[in-house]
Amino acid sequence: MSTDDTRDAIMVATYEALCEEGYSDLTAQSIADRTDRSKSALFYHYDSREALVADFIEYLIEGFDARVERTREQPPLERLAAFVDWFLADPDDDELAFHTAFLELRAQAPYNDVYREKLRESDDILRTVVEDILRDGIDAGVFRAHDPESVSALLLASFDGARIRQFTLGRDEYLETVRAETVDRVLADVLAADVEFPDEASFEFPRDDRLVDDDGTTDTADSDGTTNAADDDETTDAESDTENTASNAEGDPTE
Amino acid sequence: MSTDDTRDAIMVATYEALCEEGYSDLTAQSIADRTDRSKSALFYHYDSREALVADFIEYLIEGFDARVERTREQPPLERLAAFVDWFLADPDDDELAFHTAFLELRAQAPYNDVYREKLRESDDILRTVVEDILRDGIDAGVFRAHDPESVSALLLASFDGARIRQFTLGRDEYLETVRAETVDRVLADVLAADVEFPDEASFEFPRDDRLVDDDGTTDTADSDGTTNAADDDETTDAESDTENTASNAEGDPTE
């Protein structure tokens, strides 16, 4: 098995262990148990649990980059709508498990410089994605002139706060209300005069195929790094997944 | 010592232990060590660590209620400005320590029904505070007609997300940017035509005197449940504290 395959196997096992056990209870043993490797083999690849978790965040970032790449040819307004839908989708049980574990991990960042550095990298990428969409929309004339950096920061803070309040409190209305108010009060301000924000995006923000199967479930046997998404839907071609099943089981993609 | 004094002593010790050790490492022993009581005496009052932590959230809620009460006579626009300043204040080290510990605790809510129930209670109160301000502002004619419940949910989600991103990533710009964008894009929409949002609030949202001294430091010896805030400033009378020192060391007040 190649080094890439080994990393994939460890990363998928880490994802599963996080979903099933949370971050606090995550051990090298629980990760090793989900691979055909021993705990000591794990430490051949990673010096510490911290190094492994940091590489896991890096792995999510790489996956997120690849997923964003698949949406680049779509029009900016549709990309923004797909991003909003993806971020504020009501999580299923698997997604909730990962959101929860990832929030535990994020809560360690103030104590942990390695995590903090990786999460900053992830924040940079997430902000850049939204900024690029906003900038492309200004160029295309669908958005008015505005400061994409500031609006991107506001959108991410609102969506992140809504999602954290939703799943820690079990209050779905945060997702719906914040989406509606953001469209009415923030995006209405940003959209050009004759442009309306779509009620529903025309495509689904791609899932991380390395971690989640077509049916939204996790399955290590298939998670070998290859893409197994069905690309047979005419409206989206090879650009994106089209299944109606939950797509963001990886949750906070890069954070 | 009365039951109230005992509870105060345990609650202040819990606050200090959380700030110094975080939530994950919080033990009954570390709390007992900060009081003149034994660990077994602690369990005379609380059946479990969970019951103690749940009562700690309740204690924060009670304190928050009392603090809000002290601001009721202020004009709605000033109350909103004070609330925004308080929520989005750049945290000092003590505040950061508490925010961090409290986020760890919040991250347990999806696993823990007792915490979740208490955090919901806290969410209700926080939302009601903002809704009351917005409703009073509509009645007073300083805000346009709008749905206070939805706007309150958006403001809390944005502010919460901004603060979490700020302190987990160490990126202060989230606080400043989200404040400015909220004023320009959300509140501009809500304020009546001739009303401007104040650059700075005319009073400071009161601190929790039970947990934090006038100088912003924690001191159990003085934390006997009595108010030790200086009330000698003419402009605010007995309604609120006026010190310029950091006021929200209790951080997420009720969550």
Side-chain angles (χ1 to χ4, degrees), chain A residues 104 108 111 116 120 123-124 127 150 157 160-161 165 167 169 171 174 181 185 189 255, chain B residues 104 108-109 111 116 120 123-124 127 150 157 160-161 165 167 169 171 174 181 185 189 255:
Chain A
E104 287 187 87
Q108 296 306 310
Y111 307 124
R116 176 178 285 215
R120 280 184 181 167
D123 181 52
D124 288 338
R127 281 158 73 159
S150 304
D160 196 22
R165 295 184 84 78
F167 79 81
L169 302 170
R171 291 192 158 164
Y174 269 110
E181 290 292 305
R185 299 187 187 281
D189 224 35
E255 77 164 1
Chain B
E104 288 186 87
Q108 296 306 310
Y111 307 123
R116 175 177 285 216
R120 280 184 180 168
D123 182 51
D124 288 338
R127 281 158 75 159
S150 304
D160 196 22
R165 295 185 85 78
F167 80 81
L169 302 169
R171 291 193 157 164
Y174 269 110
E181 290 293 306
R185 299 188 186 279
D189 225 35
E255 77 166 359

mmCIF file of all heavy atoms in Angstrom, chain A residues 104 108 111 116 120 123-124 127 150 157 160-161 165 167 169 171 174 181 185 189 255, chain B residues 104 108-109 111 116 120 123-124 127 150 157 160-161 165 167 169 171 174 181 185 189 255:
data_model
loop_
_atom_site.group_PDB
_atom_site.id
_atom_site.type_symbol
_atom_site.label_atom_id
_atom_site.label_comp_id
_atom_site.label_asym_id
_atom_site.label_seq_id
_atom_site.Cartn_x
_atom_site.Cartn_y
_atom_site.Cartn_z
ATOM 1 N N GLU A 104 -15.453 20.581 19.594
ATOM 2 C CA GLU A 104 -14.555 20.239 20.717
ATOM 3 C C GLU A 104 -13.106 20.527 20.329
ATOM 4 O O GLU A 104 -12.329 21.054 21.116
ATOM 5 C CB GLU A 104 -14.678 18.753 21.068
ATOM 6 C CG GLU A 104 -15.933 18.330 21.760
ATOM 7 C CD GLU A 104 -15.809 16.858 22.175
ATOM 8 O OE1 GLU A 104 -15.298 16.586 23.259
ATOM 9 O OE2 GLU A 104 -16.200 15.979 21.370
ATOM 10 N N GLN A 108 -10.153 23.671 21.553
ATOM 11 C CA GLN A 108 -8.787 23.462 22.048
ATOM 12 C C GLN A 108 -7.793 24.443 21.417
ATOM 13 O O GLN A 108 -6.666 24.570 21.893
ATOM 14 C CB GLN A 108 -8.323 22.026 21.749
ATOM 15 C CG GLN A 108 -9.123 20.962 22.469
ATOM 16 C CD GLN A 108 -9.177 21.202 23.967
ATOM 17 O OE1 GLN A 108 -8.158 21.411 24.603
ATOM 18 N NE2 GLN A 108 -10.376 21.205 24.524
ATOM 19 N N TYR A 111 -5.661 26.837 23.374
ATOM 20 C CA TYR A 111 -4.611 26.184 24.171
ATOM 21 C C TYR A 111 -3.515 25.588 23.289
ATOM 22 O O TYR A 111 -2.503 25.125 23.809
ATOM 23 C CB TYR A 111 -5.176 25.002 24.982
ATOM 24 C CG TYR A 111 -6.366 25.268 25.865
ATOM 25 C CD1 TYR A 111 -7.545 24.534 25.731
ATOM 26 C CD2 TYR A 111 -6.297 26.230 26.876
ATOM 27 C CE1 TYR A 111 -8.633 24.750 26.561
ATOM 28 C CE2 TYR A 111 -7.395 26.450 27.703
ATOM 29 C CZ TYR A 111 -8.551 25.711 27.544
ATOM 30 O OH TYR A 111 -9.623 25.922 28.366
ATOM 31 N N ARG A 116 -4.381 25.844 16.213
ATOM 32 C CA ARG A 116 -4.749 27.218 15.871
ATOM 33 C C ARG A 116 -4.211 27.594 14.498
ATOM 34 O O ARG A 116 -4.912 28.179 13.676
ATOM 35 C CB ARG A 116 -4.214 28.178 16.945
ATOM 36 C CG ARG A 116 -4.470 29.639 16.600
ATOM 37 C CD ARG A 116 -3.999 30.585 17.679
ATOM 38 N NE ARG A 116 -4.896 30.561 18.814
ATOM 39 C CZ ARG A 116 -5.190 31.621 19.562
ATOM 40 N NH1 ARG A 116 -4.634 32.783 19.312
ATOM 41 N NH2 ARG A 116 -6.020 31.524 20.563
ATOM 42 N N ARG A 120 -6.455 28.541 11.317
ATOM 43 C CA ARG A 120 -6.308 29.833 10.626
ATOM 44 C C ARG A 120 -6.186 29.625 9.123
ATOM 45 O O ARG A 120 -6.770 30.369 8.334
ATOM 46 C CB ARG A 120 -5.060 30.560 11.124
ATOM 47 C CG ARG A 120 -5.266 31.263 12.433
ATOM 48 C CD ARG A 120 -4.014 32.032 12.796
ATOM 49 N NE ARG A 120 -4.193 32.706 14.072
ATOM 50 C CZ ARG A 120 -3.211 33.247 14.766
ATOM 51 N NH1 ARG A 120 -1.972 33.201 14.331
ATOM 52 N NH2 ARG A 120 -3.463 33.853 15.909
ATOM 53 N N ASP A 123 -9.534 28.988 7.924
ATOM 54 C CA ASP A 123 -10.307 30.241 7.907
ATOM 55 C C ASP A 123 -9.949 31.072 6.678
ATOM 56 O O ASP A 123 -10.824 31.617 6.004
ATOM 57 C CB ASP A 123 -10.016 31.023 9.199
ATOM 58 C CG ASP A 123 -10.799 32.333 9.287
ATOM 59 O OD1 ASP A 123 -12.030 32.303 9.112
ATOM 60 O OD2 ASP A 123 -10.176 33.387 9.531
ATOM 61 N N ASP A 124 -8.659 31.152 6.368
ATOM 62 C CA ASP A 124 -8.208 31.892 5.173
ATOM 63 C C ASP A 124 -8.903 31.363 3.921
ATOM 64 O O ASP A 124 -9.370 32.135 3.083
ATOM 65 C CB ASP A 124 -6.688 31.739 4.977
ATOM 66 C CG ASP A 124 -5.894 32.517 6.009
ATOM 67 O OD1 ASP A 124 -6.446 33.467 6.592
ATOM 68 O OD2 ASP A 124 -4.718 32.155 6.237
ATOM 69 N N ARG A 127 -12.740 32.049 3.868
ATOM 70 C CA ARG A 127 -12.989 33.458 3.560
ATOM 71 C C ARG A 127 -12.701 33.763 2.097
ATOM 72 O O ARG A 127 -13.447 34.507 1.441
ATOM 73 C CB ARG A 127 -12.138 34.350 4.455
ATOM 74 C CG ARG A 127 -12.744 34.491 5.834
ATOM 75 C CD ARG A 127 -11.748 34.898 6.876
ATOM 76 N NE ARG A 127 -11.354 36.283 6.769
ATOM 77 C CZ ARG A 127 -10.814 36.972 7.789
ATOM 78 N NH1 ARG A 127 -10.629 36.385 8.955
ATOM 79 N NH2 ARG A 127 -10.461 38.217 7.640
ATOM 80 N N SER A 150 -15.013 42.216 4.030
ATOM 81 C CA SER A 150 -15.854 42.472 5.209
ATOM 82 C C SER A 150 -17.146 41.672 5.142
ATOM 83 O O SER A 150 -17.586 41.102 6.142
ATOM 84 C CB SER A 150 -16.201 43.959 5.310
ATOM 85 O OG SER A 150 -15.034 44.722 5.325
ATOM 86 N N ALA A 157 -19.161 34.547 10.023
ATOM 87 C CA ALA A 157 -19.442 34.640 11.460
ATOM 88 C C ALA A 157 -20.909 34.308 11.734
ATOM 89 O O ALA A 157 -21.222 33.533 12.637
ATOM 90 C CB ALA A 157 -19.094 36.034 11.986
ATOM 91 N N ASP A 160 -21.566 30.525 10.989
ATOM 92 C CA ASP A 160 -20.893 29.698 11.994
ATOM 93 C C ASP A 160 -21.646 29.787 13.324
ATOM 94 O O ASP A 160 -21.927 28.767 13.960
ATOM 95 C CB ASP A 160 -19.453 30.206 12.142
ATOM 96 C CG ASP A 160 -18.546 29.223 12.843
ATOM 97 O OD1 ASP A 160 -18.853 28.016 12.855
ATOM 98 O OD2 ASP A 160 -17.501 29.655 13.378
ATOM 99 N N GLY A 161 -21.979 30.998 13.716
ATOM 100 C CA GLY A 161 -22.711 31.199 14.971
ATOM 101 C C GLY A 161 -24.071 30.518 14.927
ATOM 102 O O GLY A 161 -24.506 29.911 15.908
ATOM 103 N N ARG A 165 -25.056 27.444 17.396
ATOM 104 C CA ARG A 165 -26.220 27.566 18.277
ATOM 105 C C ARG A 165 -27.264 26.504 17.924
ATOM 106 O O ARG A 165 -27.911 25.950 18.810
ATOM 107 C CB ARG A 165 -26.813 28.973 18.216
ATOM 108 C CG ARG A 165 -25.859 30.037 18.756
ATOM 109 C CD ARG A 165 -26.465 31.420 18.800
ATOM 110 N NE ARG A 165 -27.247 31.647 20.002
ATOM 111 C CZ ARG A 165 -26.741 31.911 21.197
ATOM 112 N NH1 ARG A 165 -25.442 31.987 21.368
ATOM 113 N NH2 ARG A 165 -27.518 32.093 22.232
ATOM 114 N N PHE A 167 -26.817 23.414 16.678
ATOM 115 C CA PHE A 167 -26.558 22.022 17.064
ATOM 116 C C PHE A 167 -26.199 21.860 18.533
ATOM 117 O O PHE A 167 -26.430 20.792 19.093
ATOM 118 C CB PHE A 167 -25.553 21.335 16.123
ATOM 119 C CG PHE A 167 -24.117 21.651 16.340
ATOM 120 C CD1 PHE A 167 -23.388 21.015 17.338
ATOM 121 C CD2 PHE A 167 -23.457 22.553 15.530
ATOM 122 C CE1 PHE A 167 -22.044 21.280 17.523
ATOM 123 C CE2 PHE A 167 -22.113 22.826 15.711
ATOM 124 C CZ PHE A 167 -21.408 22.198 16.711
ATOM 125 N N LEU A 169 -27.696 23.671 20.885
ATOM 126 C CA LEU A 169 -28.984 23.857 21.573
ATOM 127 C C LEU A 169 -30.083 22.973 20.990
ATOM 128 O O LEU A 169 -31.154 22.855 21.589
ATOM 129 C CB LEU A 169 -29.431 25.328 21.460
ATOM 130 C CG LEU A 169 -28.464 26.373 22.021
ATOM 131 C CD1 LEU A 169 -28.901 27.776 21.622
ATOM 132 C CD2 LEU A 169 -28.360 26.255 23.538
ATOM 133 N N ARG A 171 -31.651 23.732 18.221
ATOM 134 C CA ARG A 171 -32.680 24.681 17.777
ATOM 135 C C ARG A 171 -32.508 24.986 16.293
ATOM 136 O O ARG A 171 -31.745 25.884 15.899
ATOM 137 C CB ARG A 171 -32.597 25.968 18.596
ATOM 138 C CG ARG A 171 -33.026 25.725 20.017
ATOM 139 C CD ARG A 171 -33.243 26.984 20.815
ATOM 140 N NE ARG A 171 -34.128 26.677 21.929
ATOM 141 C CZ ARG A 171 -34.293 27.445 22.991
ATOM 142 N NH1 ARG A 171 -33.655 28.593 23.090
ATOM 143 N NH2 ARG A 171 -35.120 27.090 23.941
ATOM 144 N N TYR A 174 -32.453 28.535 14.212
ATOM 145 C CA TYR A 174 -31.304 29.421 13.959
ATOM 146 C C TYR A 174 -30.879 29.348 12.496
ATOM 147 O O TYR A 174 -30.536 30.351 11.895
ATOM 148 C CB TYR A 174 -30.127 29.085 14.877
ATOM 149 C CG TYR A 174 -30.162 29.879 16.163
ATOM 150 C CD1 TYR A 174 -30.446 29.275 17.374
ATOM 151 C CD2 TYR A 174 -29.923 31.245 16.156
ATOM 152 C CE1 TYR A 174 -30.494 30.002 18.550
ATOM 153 C CE2 TYR A 174 -29.973 31.994 17.321
ATOM 154 C CZ TYR A 174 -30.257 31.364 18.515
ATOM 155 O OH TYR A 174 -30.311 32.100 19.669
ATOM 156 N N GLU A 181 -32.908 36.064 7.282
ATOM 157 C CA GLU A 181 -32.527 37.440 7.637
ATOM 158 C C GLU A 181 -31.284 37.886 6.872
ATOM 159 O O GLU A 181 -31.153 39.049 6.506
ATOM 160 C CB GLU A 181 -32.288 37.556 9.146
ATOM 161 C CG GLU A 181 -33.541 37.440 9.990
ATOM 162 C CD GLU A 181 -34.487 38.624 9.813
ATOM 163 O OE1 GLU A 181 -34.055 39.768 10.005
ATOM 164 O OE2 GLU A 181 -35.657 38.397 9.455
ATOM 165 N N ARG A 185 -31.582 41.111 4.696
ATOM 166 C CA ARG A 185 -30.946 42.320 5.221
ATOM 167 C C ARG A 185 -29.516 42.515 4.746
ATOM 168 O O ARG A 185 -29.060 43.630 4.588
ATOM 169 C CB ARG A 185 -30.977 42.333 6.754
ATOM 170 C CG ARG A 185 -32.384 42.330 7.291
ATOM 171 C CD ARG A 185 -32.480 42.499 8.787
ATOM 172 N NE ARG A 185 -33.868 42.307 9.198
ATOM 173 C CZ ARG A 185 -34.818 43.241 9.083
ATOM 174 N NH1 ARG A 185 -34.520 44.435 8.630
ATOM 175 N NH2 ARG A 185 -36.054 42.973 9.445
ATOM 176 N N ASP A 189 -28.748 43.939 0.267
ATOM 177 C CA ASP A 189 -27.906 45.132 0.208
ATOM 178 C C ASP A 189 -26.772 44.973 -0.794
ATOM 179 O O ASP A 189 -26.253 45.947 -1.329
ATOM 180 C CB ASP A 189 -27.284 45.278 1.603
ATOM 181 C CG ASP A 189 -27.320 46.689 2.103
ATOM 182 O OD1 ASP A 189 -28.299 47.382 1.798
ATOM 183 O OD2 ASP A 189 -26.359 47.070 2.801
ATOM 184 N N GLU A 255 -13.087 23.987 8.898
ATOM 185 C CA GLU A 255 -13.187 24.176 10.326
ATOM 186 C C GLU A 255 -14.628 24.033 10.720
ATOM 187 O O GLU A 255 -15.090 24.414 11.697
ATOM 188 C CB GLU A 255 -12.553 25.465 10.790
ATOM 189 C CG GLU A 255 -13.296 26.739 10.564
ATOM 190 C CD GLU A 255 -12.656 27.794 11.446
ATOM 191 O OE1 GLU A 255 -11.706 27.447 12.129
ATOM 192 O OE2 GLU A 255 -13.126 28.901 11.437
ATOM 193 N N GLU B 104 -15.792 24.914 25.519
ATOM 194 C CA GLU B 104 -15.626 23.472 25.766
ATOM 195 C C GLU B 104 -16.908 22.897 26.369
ATOM 196 O O GLU B 104 -17.366 21.826 25.987
ATOM 197 C CB GLU B 104 -14.480 23.224 26.745
ATOM 198 C CG GLU B 104 -13.089 23.442 26.217
ATOM 199 C CD GLU B 104 -12.074 23.010 27.277
ATOM 200 O OE1 GLU B 104 -11.714 21.828 27.313
ATOM 201 O OE2 GLU B 104 -11.652 23.856 28.091
ATOM 202 N N GLN B 108 -20.146 20.212 24.801
ATOM 203 C CA GLN B 108 -20.656 18.976 25.405
ATOM 204 C C GLN B 108 -22.180 18.897 25.341
ATOM 205 O O GLN B 108 -22.759 17.834 25.579
ATOM 206 C CB GLN B 108 -20.216 18.883 26.877
ATOM 207 C CG GLN B 108 -18.707 18.784 27.063
ATOM 208 C CD GLN B 108 -18.120 17.639 26.258
ATOM 209 O OE1 GLN B 108 -18.605 16.520 26.318
ATOM 210 N NE2 GLN B 108 -17.074 17.928 25.478
ATOM 211 N N ALA B 109 -22.834 20.019 25.049
ATOM 212 C CA ALA B 109 -24.305 20.063 25.097
ATOM 213 C C ALA B 109 -24.977 19.036 24.180
ATOM 214 O O ALA B 109 -25.998 18.454 24.563
ATOM 215 C CB ALA B 109 -24.815 21.474 24.805
ATOM 216 N N TYR B 111 -24.085 16.123 23.668
ATOM 217 C CA TYR B 111 -23.977 14.838 24.368
ATOM 218 C C TYR B 111 -24.727 14.830 25.698
ATOM 219 O O TYR B 111 -24.842 13.778 26.322
ATOM 220 C CB TYR B 111 -22.507 14.512 24.716
ATOM 221 C CG TYR B 111 -21.500 14.549 23.599
ATOM 222 C CD1 TYR B 111 -20.375 15.371 23.676
ATOM 223 C CD2 TYR B 111 -21.642 13.724 22.484
ATOM 224 C CE1 TYR B 111 -19.414 15.391 22.668
ATOM 225 C CE2 TYR B 111 -20.682 13.747 21.478
ATOM 226 C CZ TYR B 111 -19.575 14.570 21.565
ATOM 227 O OH TYR B 111 -18.634 14.591 20.575
ATOM 228 N N ARG B 116 -27.643 20.973 27.905
ATOM 229 C CA ARG B 116 -28.414 21.522 26.785
ATOM 230 C C ARG B 116 -29.638 22.280 27.290
ATOM 231 O O ARG B 116 -29.942 23.365 26.826
ATOM 232 C CB ARG B 116 -28.830 20.377 25.847
ATOM 233 C CG ARG B 116 -29.740 20.833 24.721
ATOM 234 C CD ARG B 116 -30.086 19.707 23.771
ATOM 235 N NE ARG B 116 -28.962 19.397 22.920
ATOM 236 C CZ ARG B 116 -29.075 19.029 21.635
ATOM 237 N NH1 ARG B 116 -30.255 18.942 21.074
ATOM 238 N NH2 ARG B 116 -28.027 18.762 20.926
ATOM 239 N N ARG B 120 -30.286 26.208 26.753
ATOM 240 C CA ARG B 120 -31.493 26.700 26.083
ATOM 241 C C ARG B 120 -32.144 27.803 26.898
ATOM 242 O O ARG B 120 -32.609 28.800 26.359
ATOM 243 C CB ARG B 120 -32.496 25.552 25.897
ATOM 244 C CG ARG B 120 -32.174 24.673 24.725
ATOM 245 C CD ARG B 120 -33.265 23.627 24.558
ATOM 246 N NE ARG B 120 -32.976 22.777 23.431
ATOM 247 C CZ ARG B 120 -33.610 21.639 23.158
ATOM 248 N NH1 ARG B 120 -34.572 21.221 23.972
ATOM 249 N NH2 ARG B 120 -33.293 20.930 22.115
ATOM 250 N N ASP B 123 -30.201 30.774 26.312
ATOM 251 C CA ASP B 123 -30.486 31.301 24.967
ATOM 252 C C ASP B 123 -31.797 32.081 24.971
ATOM 253 O O ASP B 123 -31.890 33.175 24.397
ATOM 254 C CB ASP B 123 -30.543 30.134 23.976
ATOM 255 C CG ASP B 123 -30.795 30.578 22.542
ATOM 256 O OD1 ASP B 123 -30.077 31.474 22.055
ATOM 257 O OD2 ASP B 123 -31.721 30.044 21.905
ATOM 258 N N ASP B 124 -32.806 31.532 25.640
ATOM 259 C CA ASP B 124 -34.100 32.226 25.734
ATOM 260 C C ASP B 124 -33.918 33.622 26.330
ATOM 261 O O ASP B 124 -34.496 34.594 25.846
ATOM 262 C CB ASP B 124 -35.066 31.441 26.645
ATOM 263 C CG ASP B 124 -35.563 30.160 25.999
ATOM 264 O OD1 ASP B 124 -35.516 30.076 24.756
ATOM 265 O OD2 ASP B 124 -35.989 29.250 26.734
ATOM 266 N N ARG B 127 -31.934 36.047 24.020
ATOM 267 C CA ARG B 127 -32.786 36.494 22.906
ATOM 268 C C ARG B 127 -33.839 37.473 23.383
ATOM 269 O O ARG B 127 -34.121 38.476 22.716
ATOM 270 C CB ARG B 127 -33.457 35.282 22.244
ATOM 271 C CG ARG B 127 -32.515 34.560 21.308
ATOM 272 C CD ARG B 127 -32.910 33.144 21.058
ATOM 273 N NE ARG B 127 -34.046 33.036 20.176
ATOM 274 C CZ ARG B 127 -34.331 31.915 19.485
ATOM 275 N NH1 ARG B 127 -33.544 30.857 19.583
ATOM 276 N NH2 ARG B 127 -35.365 31.861 18.707
ATOM 277 N N SER B 150 -36.643 37.641 14.860
ATOM 278 C CA SER B 150 -35.709 37.244 13.804
ATOM 279 C C SER B 150 -34.430 38.062 13.864
ATOM 280 O O SER B 150 -33.332 37.527 13.715
ATOM 281 C CB SER B 150 -36.354 37.422 12.430
ATOM 282 O OG SER B 150 -37.549 36.701 12.364
ATOM 283 N N ALA B 157 -26.495 35.211 16.583
ATOM 284 C CA ALA B 157 -25.699 34.254 15.813
ATOM 285 C C ALA B 157 -24.436 34.934 15.281
ATOM 286 O O ALA B 157 -23.335 34.381 15.375
ATOM 287 C CB ALA B 157 -26.526 33.673 14.673
ATOM 288 N N ASP B 160 -22.049 35.794 18.246
ATOM 289 C CA ASP B 160 -21.503 34.562 18.824
ATOM 290 C C ASP B 160 -20.457 33.975 17.867
ATOM 291 O O ASP B 160 -19.350 33.608 18.288
ATOM 292 C CB ASP B 160 -22.655 33.579 19.034
ATOM 293 C CG ASP B 160 -22.296 32.435 19.966
ATOM 294 O OD1 ASP B 160 -21.352 32.583 20.758
ATOM 295 O OD2 ASP B 160 -22.962 31.385 19.895
ATOM 296 N N GLY B 161 -20.796 33.902 16.593
ATOM 297 C CA GLY B 161 -19.852 33.379 15.606
ATOM 298 C C GLY B 161 -18.599 34.231 15.521
ATOM 299 O O GLY B 161 -17.486 33.699 15.411
ATOM 300 N N ARG B 165 -14.920 32.770 16.493
ATOM 301 C CA ARG B 165 -13.838 32.792 15.508
ATOM 302 C C ARG B 165 -12.689 33.675 16.000
ATOM 303 O O ARG B 165 -11.520 33.348 15.779
ATOM 304 C CB ARG B 165 -14.356 33.261 14.137
ATOM 305 C CG ARG B 165 -15.363 32.274 13.537
ATOM 306 C CD ARG B 165 -15.801 32.657 12.143
ATOM 307 N NE ARG B 165 -14.887 32.183 11.120
ATOM 308 C CZ ARG B 165 -14.833 30.946 10.672
ATOM 309 N NH1 ARG B 165 -15.642 30.031 11.157
ATOM 310 N NH2 ARG B 165 -13.971 30.604 9.754
ATOM 311 N N PHE B 167 -11.670 34.298 19.133
ATOM 312 C CA PHE B 167 -10.807 33.779 20.201
ATOM 313 C C PHE B 167 -10.254 32.391 19.910
ATOM 314 O O PHE B 167 -9.196 32.045 20.420
ATOM 315 C CB PHE B 167 -11.466 33.893 21.589
ATOM 316 C CG PHE B 167 -12.479 32.841 21.931
ATOM 317 C CD1 PHE B 167 -12.061 31.591 22.388
ATOM 318 C CD2 PHE B 167 -13.823 33.102 21.836
ATOM 319 C CE1 PHE B 167 -12.986 30.622 22.730
ATOM 320 C CE2 PHE B 167 -14.760 32.134 22.178
ATOM 321 C CZ PHE B 167 -14.339 30.892 22.614
ATOM 322 N N LEU B 169 -9.305 31.515 16.841
ATOM 323 C CA LEU B 169 -8.281 31.768 15.825
ATOM 324 C C LEU B 169 -7.310 32.871 16.244
ATOM 325 O O LEU B 169 -6.276 33.058 15.595
ATOM 326 C CB LEU B 169 -8.948 32.173 14.501
ATOM 327 C CG LEU B 169 -9.938 31.165 13.911
ATOM 328 C CD1 LEU B 169 -10.709 31.792 12.760
ATOM 329 C CD2 LEU B 169 -9.207 29.903 13.451
ATOM 330 N N ARG B 171 -8.077 36.042 16.011
ATOM 331 C CA ARG B 171 -8.215 37.051 14.954
ATOM 332 C C ARG B 171 -9.212 38.128 15.383
ATOM 333 O O ARG B 171 -10.431 37.998 15.194
ATOM 334 C CB ARG B 171 -8.684 36.379 13.651
ATOM 335 C CG ARG B 171 -7.593 35.506 13.086
ATOM 336 C CD ARG B 171 -7.849 35.062 11.671
ATOM 337 N NE ARG B 171 -6.567 34.726 11.056
ATOM 338 C CZ ARG B 171 -6.433 34.009 9.937
ATOM 339 N NH1 ARG B 171 -7.498 33.585 9.301
ATOM 340 N NH2 ARG B 171 -5.245 33.767 9.455
ATOM 341 N N TYR B 174 -12.395 39.852 13.442
ATOM 342 C CA TYR B 174 -13.779 39.384 13.386
ATOM 343 C C TYR B 174 -14.692 40.279 14.229
ATOM 344 O O TYR B 174 -15.820 40.574 13.828
ATOM 345 C CB TYR B 174 -13.890 37.925 13.844
ATOM 346 C CG TYR B 174 -13.752 36.957 12.686
ATOM 347 C CD1 TYR B 174 -12.630 36.159 12.553
ATOM 348 C CD2 TYR B 174 -14.743 36.856 11.723
ATOM 349 C CE1 TYR B 174 -12.503 35.283 11.477
ATOM 350 C CE2 TYR B 174 -14.625 35.991 10.648
ATOM 351 C CZ TYR B 174 -13.502 35.207 10.531
ATOM 352 O OH TYR B 174 -13.383 34.354 9.470
ATOM 353 N N GLU B 181 -19.974 45.858 10.043
ATOM 354 C CA GLU B 181 -20.886 45.390 8.995
ATOM 355 C C GLU B 181 -22.312 45.241 9.534
ATOM 356 O O GLU B 181 -23.284 45.473 8.812
ATOM 357 C CB GLU B 181 -20.400 44.050 8.424
ATOM 358 C CG GLU B 181 -19.133 44.145 7.597
ATOM 359 C CD GLU B 181 -19.323 44.908 6.292
ATOM 360 O OE1 GLU B 181 -20.219 44.562 5.514
ATOM 361 O OE2 GLU B 181 -18.587 45.888 6.076
ATOM 362 N N ARG B 185 -25.115 47.251 7.711
ATOM 363 C CA ARG B 185 -26.021 46.474 6.852
ATOM 364 C C ARG B 185 -27.259 45.975 7.561
ATOM 365 O O ARG B 185 -28.308 45.843 6.952
ATOM 366 C CB ARG B 185 -25.270 45.284 6.227
ATOM 367 C CG ARG B 185 -24.116 45.745 5.371
ATOM 368 C CD ARG B 185 -23.469 44.638 4.578
ATOM 369 N NE ARG B 185 -22.296 45.154 3.906
ATOM 370 C CZ ARG B 185 -22.317 45.837 2.752
ATOM 371 N NH1 ARG B 185 -23.454 46.050 2.145
ATOM 372 N NH2 ARG B 185 -21.200 46.294 2.224
ATOM 373 N N ASP B 189 -30.731 49.117 8.567
ATOM 374 C CA ASP B 189 -32.025 48.687 8.051
ATOM 375 C C ASP B 189 -33.125 48.769 9.108
ATOM 376 O O ASP B 189 -34.302 48.898 8.785
ATOM 377 C CB ASP B 189 -31.868 47.200 7.671
ATOM 378 C CG ASP B 189 -32.472 46.876 6.347
ATOM 379 O OD1 ASP B 189 -32.418 47.738 5.455
ATOM 380 O OD2 ASP B 189 -32.984 45.755 6.217
ATOM 381 N N GLU B 255 -24.439 32.078 28.277
ATOM 382 C CA GLU B 255 -23.847 30.986 27.529
ATOM 383 C C GLU B 255 -22.611 31.505 26.866
ATOM 384 O O GLU B 255 -22.083 31.057 25.947
ATOM 385 C CB GLU B 255 -24.832 30.333 26.585
ATOM 386 C CG GLU B 255 -25.181 31.012 25.317
ATOM 387 C CD GLU B 255 -25.873 30.000 24.451
ATOM 388 O OE1 GLU B 255 -26.005 28.857 24.895
ATOM 389 O OE2 GLU B 255 -26.249 30.348 23.340
#
